[in-house]
Amino acid sequence: QSTWGNVLLTDMLSPKRALALAALTATSASIILWFKLKSKKRPSHEISAMEQLIGNTPLIELHSLSKETGCRILAKVEFVNPGGSVKDRVAKYILREALKKGTIKPGDTIFEGTSGSTGISLAMLSHAIGLNCCIYMPNDQAIEKSELLERLGATVFRVNPVSIVDPQQFCNLAKAGAEAHPNGYYVDQFENISNMRAHFEETGPEIWRQCNGEIDAFVAGAGTGGTIAGVSRYLKNQNADIRVVLADPQGSSLFNRVKRGVLFAVEEKEGKKARHQVDSIIEGVGLNRLTRNFVEASIDNAFRVTDQEAVDMAQFLLRNEGLFVGSSSALNCVGAVKTARQLGPNHTIVTILCDHGQRHMSRFHNAQFLAKMGLTPKVVNDLSFVS
């Protein structure tokens, strides 16, 4: 080195002694770090080491979509979270804040109504706290979700999908269960603002940082509305010109809410409604009511996505990217393509890969089920299936 102060001690030692000194230094540093961690009092609202694995997920480019649209289409890969979905973030935030406020403690039972993924995340994190977990979910969701919940130790009730005004609706049943239990806590992901806060404080900043601030649009579906609300508010705080676009499945009313200010879906017309929630096989997104989380979102535009488009997109991503994604992930990618076409080439669009296809084997990725629904995937080498 040019100055004595910068000369390395190892430069003055034999190779063998230098190696021994380096090993001793590394060992000493490890011991010091261990004592620091051991002496540091763990915050009462910290869940466990597992929560350190949640978030900071990769942002990848979907090259096949970029090539077809002329835009740079990026996807946040949320299915690499330990619970397998973006809902790990929500479960972590809700439970951590409940612990911090003292509204839950070890031995209590948490209750939640969910289409599956939030329940799975809650069931996993509950073990770290010593909570019991009780889940109510519609019985038209993929059976593998409830089977996984049971393996994770949750008590699971599969109930008929009915309107939110019905006391037998899955969220209403979860709330009633919590109220009847002496040590029950209703998670309430649809109305609990901690949901949105998880994405405002973590997902949004991650996207902004990973894009180096170079982002023109963000596209996502909405179930509870937490993801699109939190991310949209954060990104628009950084750059108000960023477009936020809702990708909404058939049967959901949110599309018309964004486009026309009215909650309505044509599938709800008398004589047309096939079921009581959202007439789509896409799970975890779409809603016929406004939630406290969704109303916080700052949305510029919306696109309707059909079941056929989502099914075909899932197959397109598998063949061209090697990605086996769930139904809401496919919906988001269709929305990203439609946004790219509207904006034109040379824009950067970010979307979310919410969960993996393994949770959708009995329905969305089941050939017999799709054939029965008239949704057999089209084998095409381009994006002509996106209207």
Side-chain angles (χ1 to χ4, degrees):
Q1 303 287 338
S2 59
T3 61
W4 176 259
N6 290 329
V7 174
L8 297 175
L9 179 59
T10 51
D11 291 342
M12 300 186 292
L13 300 175
S14 66
K16 185 180 291 186
R17 289 184 177 179
L19 183 61
L21 178 62
L24 178 62
T25 301
T27 302
S28 300
S30 298
I31 292 173
I32 292 171
L33 178 61
W34 183 83
F35 273 110
K36 284 183 177 180
L37 292 173
K38 188 171 179 65
S39 61
K40 182 180 178 181
K41 187 177 180 181
R42 180 175 159 185
S44 60
H45 59 276
E46 187 175 296
I47 296 174
S48 72
M50 179 188 166
E51 75 169 78
Q52 299 174 36
L53 301 173
I54 298 173
N56 291 311
T57 53
L59 184 72
I60 63 171
E61 181 171 4
L62 301 177
H63 294 282
S64 58
L65 302 189
S66 296
K67 181 181 178 182
E68 287 284 327
T69 61
C71 286
R72 189 176 183 224
I73 297 184
L74 308 176
K76 195 98 165 90
V77 189
E78 289 298 299
F79 57 70
V80 301
N81 282 306
S85 81
V86 67
K87 294 300 186 177
D88 280 8
R89 297 178 184 266
V90 177
K92 179 184 77 171
Y93 255 68
I94 290 178
L95 293 183
R96 189 164 64 184
E97 293 194 11
L99 282 169
K100 188 175 181 179
K101 294 176 182 176
T103 51
I104 58 171
K105 62 185 184 303
D108 289 351
T109 300
I110 59 173
F111 291 77
E112 181 59 328
T114 169
S115 61
S117 289
T118 303
I120 292 167
S121 300
L122 289 169
M124 292 186 67
L125 287 169
S126 291
H127 286 296
I129 309 172
L131 298 170
N132 301 305
C133 185
C134 183
I135 299 297
Y136 289 82
M137 62 185 297
N139 60 17
D140 61 350
Q141 303 298 286
I143 189 66
E144 50 268 37
K145 293 181 181 180
S146 58
E147 290 175 343
L148 177 55
L149 278 163
E150 291 172 346
R151 299 300 183 277
L152 292 172
T155 300
V156 183
F157 296 96
R158 289 175 64 89
V159 300
N160 291 330
V162 296
S163 169
I164 188 65
V165 299
D166 192 319
Q168 298 301 306
Q169 197 263 359
F170 65 101
C171 290
N172 295 334
L173 288 171
K175 182 179 180 180
E179 291 173 348
H181 195 285
N183 296 301
Y185 173 75
Y186 179 42
V187 173
D188 198 10
Q189 61 169 325
F190 289 88
E191 307 300 330
N192 193 326
I193 210 68
S194 295
N195 180 344
M196 184 209 76
R197 192 153 46 240
H199 300 291
F200 180 83
E201 296 182 2
E202 291 193 356
T203 317
E206 287 174 28
I207 290 172
W208 180 257
R209 183 176 64 252
Q210 289 170 317
C211 290
N212 294 316
E214 298 177 0
I215 171 175
D216 298 296
F218 174 73
V219 181
T224 64
T227 302
I228 198 167
V231 173
S232 68
R233 290 189 60 168
Y234 180 84
L235 292 179
K236 283 184 174 288
N237 280 352
Q238 312 310 308
N239 180 358
D241 292 331
I242 293 174
R243 300 278 292 174
V244 175
V245 180
L246 172 73
D248 206 37
Q250 60 188 58
S252 172
S253 299
L254 299 180
F255 169 81
N256 279 321
R257 172 67 183 188
V258 173
K259 300 290 284 187
R260 301 178 178 89
V262 178
L263 273 174
F264 175 74
V266 67
E267 288 82 1
E268 293 183 300
K269 289 175 62 177
E270 186 176 354
K272 294 192 66 174
K273 195 163 181 61
R275 41 174 296 208
H276 296 283
Q277 192 181 9
V278 174
D279 291 301
S280 171
I281 67 165
I282 302 171
E283 300 182 11
V285 290
L287 209 61
N288 292 323
R289 72 181 193 274
L290 291 180
T291 68
R292 187 181 176 195
N293 282 286
F294 185 80
V295 296
E296 296 293 332
S298 180
I299 303 175
D300 301 294
N301 194 19
F303 286 110
R304 175 76 77 206
V305 177
T306 67
D307 284 356
Q308 188 68 64
E309 288 175 314
V311 167
D312 293 341
M313 177 59 76
Q315 292 301 309
F316 183 86
L317 292 173
L318 179 60
R319 291 194 306 271
N320 291 277
E321 302 285 354
L323 291 171
F324 187 52
V325 302
S327 57
S328 58
S329 301
L331 170 131
N332 285 345
C333 290
V334 173
V337 169
K338 294 188 178 191
T339 301
R341 288 175 175 173
Q342 184 180 72
L343 294 180
N346 303 316
H347 289 88
T348 297
I349 299 162
V350 176
T351 191
I352 302 283
L353 299 183
C354 310
D355 67 356
H356 197 268
Q358 289 178 335
R359 289 186 180 171
H360 302 263
M361 296 295 291
S362 63
R363 287 169 56 87
F364 188 73
H365 286 296
N366 183 286
Q368 288 74 30
F369 174 80
L370 292 177
K372 179 181 176 181
M373 301 296 291
L375 295 170
T376 299
K378 301 171 185 174
V379 180
V380 293
N381 296 317
D382 55 28
L383 294 175
S384 59
F385 59 85
V386 178
S387 64

